[in-house]
């Protein structure tokens, strides 16, 4: 499977900003709609934001207006600009294709990048 590497997480105060990055090791990245997901110790992995191959964006209600997703198909990268962060945004953030294909996500899940928002 193609590898994904997430980076950019950290510890910020409420109201702060972070920019997450996702890098794919293969041009296969270009043909998939992609998404960011997040996971906490008590919650299952939830979808945060998605972007189609051509750049159409969509967001979970909880982050709409605060987060912005983008992608650079030439570099096989994707970003998530997170502004006005809240403690409830604290989670391990992952990137992958927006949906599984044939029951399996086309990219191997990376290690994620931890975002911690202090109150």
């Amino acid at each position: 499977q193609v590898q994904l590497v997430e980076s950019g997480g950290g510890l910020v105060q409420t109201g702060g900003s972070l920019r997450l990055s996702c890098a794919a090791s293969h041009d296969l990245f270009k043909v998939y709609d992609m998404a960011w997901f997040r996971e906490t110790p008590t919650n299952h992995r939830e979808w945060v934001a998605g972007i189609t191959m051509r750049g159409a964006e969509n967001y979970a209600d909880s982050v709409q207006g605060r987060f912005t997703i983008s992608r650079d198909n030439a570099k096989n990268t994707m970003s998530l600009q997170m502004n006005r962060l809240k403690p409830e945004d604290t989670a391990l953030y992952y990137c992958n294709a927006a949906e599984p294909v044939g029951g399996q996500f086309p990219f191997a899940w990376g290690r994620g990048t931890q975002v911690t928002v202090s109150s």
Side-chain angles (χ1 to χ4, degrees):
Q1 282 184 301
V2 176
Q3 299 295 313
L4 296 170
V5 178
E6 301 93 351
S7 62
L11 172 64
V12 295
Q13 293 184 332
T14 297
S17 298
L18 284 172
R19 186 177 181 85
L20 306 185
S21 296
C22 170
S25 61
H26 194 279
D27 283 349
L28 196 63
F29 172 89
K30 296 177 174 49
V31 304
Y32 284 102
D33 297 344
M34 295 294 293
W36 285 96
F37 303 84
R38 64 188 181 188
E39 186 176 286
T40 67
T42 56
N43 292 334
H44 62 278
R45 190 170 293 167
E46 66 172 350
W47 174 84
V48 175
I51 186 165
T52 67
M53 286 186 290
R54 289 184 171 84
E57 307 163 28
N58 52 100
Y59 300 93
D61 289 344
S62 58
V63 307
Q64 179 76 49
R66 300 187 298 121
F67 291 10
T68 303
I69 190 171
S70 60
R71 68 189 294 166
D72 185 338
N73 287 338
K75 297 180 179 179
N76 294 334
T77 59
M78 179 174 67
S79 296
L80 185 68
Q81 177 66 43
M82 306 187 297
N83 298 327
R84 290 183 282 138
L85 283 161
K86 304 176 181 180
E88 51 263 44
D89 295 318
T90 295
L92 189 58
Y93 284 71
Y94 298 89
C95 59
N96 211 312
E99 295 180 349
V101 178
Q104 183 175 3
F105 280 88
F107 303 100
W109 289 97
R111 294 183 177 183
T113 186
Q114 178 68 40
V115 172
T116 303
V117 185
S118 63
S119 57

